[in-house]
Amino acid sequence: MVLRPSQHRDTFARENLPPEDQWPVFEFSLPGLHIPDPFNCGAWLLDQALDQNASQKPAILQGDTVWSYAELAVQTNRLCHVLTDELGVAPGHRILLRGANSPIMFALWLAVMKVGAIAVSTMPMLRTRELQPIVEKAQIGLAICSADLTGDLETLLGVTPLRRIVSYGGSTGELERAMAGKTDRFAAISTSQDDVCLIAFTSGTTGQPKATMHFHRDVLAMCETFARHMVPAGPDAIFTGTPSIAFTFGLGGLLVFPLYFRSAIALPRTGTPTALAEAIERYRATHVFTSPTAYRAITAWKNEFDLSSLKVCVSAGEALSKTISDSWHAATGIRLTDGIGGTEMIHIFISAAGDEIRPGATGKPVPGYTAQLFDQNGRAVEGPGTGRLGIRGPTGCRYLSDARQRDYVVGGWNMTGDVYRRDEDGYYWFVARADDMIVSGGYNIAGPEVEAALLLHPDVEECAVIGWPDPERGQVVKAVVVPKQGAVPGPDLAKTLQEHVKQTLAPYKYPRAVEFCDALPKTVTGKLQRGALRPK
Ligand code: 3UK
């Protein structure tokens, strides 16, 4: 695939794309994917909304802040002037963004797009140890950071490429002062649709983080595929949810998609399930993006919050069990829209909406994407069957100078690392991450299936199921369980849970080892970190 000439002055991103023979195959046959060139996704999302009379509509709400589309544009444009006139930002520069989801953070992201720079959004909970490899890998000179979080970055000044930190929201009002005198118009910098506009780091659990590079056109592609076909929404919709925009699930669901639909964004005060339930009630939100765990938590408080405004609820990041899907349905009358996405693919590529939803299944390939299953020998599985998932579509994996590109992209397919089963009707059912498959006494057992069975027991709050080395069986199934408040951990409960699994699944899948603990290890995006429980 020939790339259109870059409009970046700083060509770092273009120079560090993987060699072309390691790229996935891209498919652009969907009609909505005719993308103009030059193309700037910030202008496309924001400036076009103003041209189309959305100015006085609410764009972002949080606490007592209410910004109309016009106000969001004013703030964004002032930030564009601060970036270019005062901070010397040129097209192609990488800018680290650090802070919780907020109106100013969203305006910053849009400003970085409009000036043709590259946003590297980071999770607020990251510390120096985790920020350093990001700054070094993406060669970042400038960070814009919430005033309460600057400490972890300051130690990187001088010892990494980082040269300047500008804070916002603090008593000195550094960024706010710089914005004050700026004009409220800014014509977006012309960028190629193939210019990198964001670098998203994977929330991987071990080793060096991987940096995925996405183009201006990829931001359009996530709208024209998943959002357009799976998320019925319009100007009256009110989006809310928890994931940070540093997680591309949150970037799409809470910033890009609502702007695409000219809807409103209502941000919870924090990323907790409680704050989310409060926000749904307070803003009468219609669309929610969050994880299965948060849906599970909110289901338990259904009588404490008014959830009657909800219309579309999207779940991603981890497998959604039929149990959670059913209990959310019973609590709200809404069927959860499950979707599997990935940082490498930018957003969701298998999903189902409305009447097409089959609880327990993830769904079918989203229009624009093709899925293929591969057996152990790398041969395509035709018809119903189980195998490793490969995906092709308008988006795909481009790691920033990383040998692991060859592991993720095989024969033009993006190999997500997941094992899936396809049924007679073409629905895809999540089995496990390939790493989480347990081989015990010759049987293949999927950890998540045993977890789902354990979660049906009233004494189980959370659990993780892993393979544990065993001289006789190779591995045995081991369950690490956080008991519900009031349940008594010990041999009796272990026995009860083992019996419960034997009654629920084929008995050979029951956990021969059961351990109790107070909390399970999680990644910054809230995923269960099963690897951290395995023997070192
Ligand atoms: C797992 C799921 C079963 C799966 C993501 C939506 O999660 C996102 O990106 P990550 O790079 O992780 C990708 C991996 O997470 N997974 C995600 N969703 C599901 N497994 N059912 C699901 N519904 O192992 C996948 O390979 O952190 C999700 C949108 C954008 C994203 N980046």
Side-chain angles (χ1 to χ4, degrees):
M1 172 166 204
V2 183
L3 290 182
R4 295 153 191 88
S6 174
Q7 311 264 342
H8 281 171
R9 207 166 82 206
D10 176 333
T11 52
F12 170 85
R14 187 56 74 99
E15 283 157 17
N16 284 286
L17 286 169
E20 218 177 299
D21 62 342
Q22 293 177 26
W23 283 40
V25 169
F26 288 97
E27 292 173 358
F28 287 98
S29 48
L30 207 67
L33 292 172
H34 291 297
I35 306 162
D37 197 70
F39 176 76
N40 181 304
C41 72
W44 178 68
L45 286 170
L46 185 56
D47 299 352
Q48 275 195 18
L50 298 186
D51 296 343
Q52 293 164 5
N53 295 327
S55 320
Q56 293 320 310
K57 283 194 69 280
I60 310 191
L61 306 90
Q62 187 179 41
D64 296 325
T65 305
V66 182
W67 283 1
S68 63
Y69 272 80
E71 184 67 20
L72 174 60
V74 164
Q75 303 288 345
T76 302
N77 292 341
R78 287 186 179 147
L79 286 166
C80 290
H81 284 291
V82 174
L83 292 173
T84 51
D85 308 347
E86 293 203 8
L87 298 171
V89 170
H93 280 171
R94 281 76 55 211
I95 302 176
L96 187 140
L97 301 178
R98 175 164 163 83
N101 286 353
S102 69
I104 189 79
M105 175 53 77
F106 284 20
L108 270 165
W109 187 89
L110 290 164
V112 172
M113 296 302 114
K114 280 190 74 174
V115 304
I118 298 173
V120 186
S121 302
T122 56
M123 305 273 178
M125 60 276 230
L126 299 192
R127 297 290 168 246
T128 304
R129 271 175 66 87
E130 296 143 318
L131 291 163
Q132 179 159 0
I134 293 174
V135 167
E136 283 169 351
K137 181 105 205 182
Q139 296 280 300
I140 302 174
L142 171 67
I144 317 257
C145 181
S146 173
D148 53 336
L149 296 170
T150 49
D152 300 279
L153 278 175
E154 272 155 10
T155 42
L156 298 178
L157 286 170
V159 295
T160 67
L162 191 67
R163 285 193 310 274
R164 176 120 198 233
I165 303 167
V166 177
S167 74
Y168 65 87
S171 52
T172 56
E174 194 182 1
L175 185 65
E176 291 83 352
R177 263 190 294 123
M179 289 167 75
K182 299 288 180 282
T183 65
D184 54 15
R185 284 174 183 275
F186 185 91
I189 302 279
S190 171
T191 45
S192 162
Q193 61 154 287
D194 298 333
D195 273 326
V196 172
C197 68
L198 66 99
I199 298 181
F201 281 80
T202 59
S203 55
T205 50
T206 47
Q208 284 290 311
K210 288 173 272 192
T212 68
M213 301 204 272
H214 296 292
F215 297 167
H216 281 271
R217 70 167 199 232
D218 298 321
V219 174
L220 179 147
M222 70 167 147
C223 297
E224 290 295 336
T225 54
F226 175 70
R228 185 187 187 113
H229 296 275
M230 299 290 155
V231 184
D236 294 332
I238 301 167
F239 283 65
T240 191
T242 57
S244 156
I245 59 164
F247 184 22
T248 57
F249 178 42
L251 177 69
L254 296 178
L255 175 53
V256 171
F257 301 160
L259 294 184
Y260 169 71
F261 290 117
R262 319 295 187 226
S263 312
I265 305 162
L267 293 173
R269 285 177 299 103
T270 68
T272 64
T274 327
L276 174 59
E278 282 165 9
I280 295 170
E281 178 175 276
R282 170 169 181 179
Y283 300 106
R284 300 210 46 81
T286 56
H287 289 59
V288 178
F289 283 70
T290 192
S291 63
T293 332
Y295 286 114
R296 186 165 184 252
I298 296 174
T299 310
W301 317 318
K302 59 172 187 277
N303 298 325
E304 290 159 54
F305 295 96
D306 178 2
L307 306 174
S308 62
S309 55
L310 292 175
K311 292 198 174 108
V312 177
C313 303
V314 178
S315 170
E318 280 193 296
L320 173 69
S321 68
K322 184 170 182 306
T323 313
I324 298 180
S325 174
D326 286 347
S327 50
W328 184 258
H329 185 251
T332 64
I334 312 274
R335 258 302 159 199
L336 287 173
T337 301
D338 190 9
I340 177 173
T343 308
E344 288 84 354
M345 304 302 294
I346 205 168
H347 219 271
I348 292 175
F349 43 83
I350 294 180
S351 182
D355 294 341
E356 303 280 296
I357 297 172
R358 289 209 184 161
T362 312
K364 294 183 177 181
V366 167
Y369 289 92
T370 311
Q372 179 71 266
L373 299 178
F374 295 93
D375 69 15
Q376 270 143 351
N377 304 315
R379 277 194 293 263
V381 176
E382 303 297 342
T386 300
R388 286 177 184 246
L389 182 66
I391 298 287
R392 277 180 187 174
T395 62
C397 178
R398 302 174 209 102
Y399 289 136
L400 196 167
S401 76
D402 202 313
R404 291 169 290 187
Q405 177 78 16
R406 285 181 185 283
D407 302 331
Y408 198 93
V409 178
V410 181
W413 292 92
N414 296 278
M415 300 303 298
T416 68
D418 300 291
V419 176
Y420 258 85
R421 178 173 67 80
R422 185 173 48 219
D423 69 16
E424 314 67 51
D425 301 325
Y427 275 82
Y428 285 76
W429 300 73
F430 178 76
V431 176
R433 297 269 322 155
D435 305 342
D436 294 330
M437 288 300 297
I438 303 164
V439 186
S440 181
Y443 285 111
N444 281 321
I445 300 163
E449 189 186 11
V450 184
E451 286 162 11
L454 283 164
L455 281 172
L456 293 172
H457 195 279
D459 288 343
V460 177
E461 177 68 41
E462 277 193 299
C463 64
V465 169
I466 52 171
W468 197 257
D470 180 81
E472 260 168 57
R473 296 170 193 273
Q475 288 184 313
V476 289
V477 177
K478 175 174 174 180
V480 184
V481 175
V482 180
K484 267 258 162 68
Q485 218 175 359
V488 185
D492 288 349
L493 183 56
K495 189 119 203 62
T496 308
L497 294 178
Q498 287 171 325
E499 277 310 310
H500 163 79
V501 175
K502 282 189 198 172
Q503 298 301 320
T504 316
L505 300 172
Y508 70 88
K509 296 177 183 171
Y510 89 94
R512 284 170 195 270
V514 179
E515 193 179 290
F516 295 97
C517 66
D518 296 335
L520 294 169
K522 301 271 176 79
T523 66
V524 287
T525 49
K527 286 188 221 285
L528 194 52
Q529 231 177 330
R530 295 183 188 81
L533 297 168
R534 296 195 190 103
K536 296 281 157 345

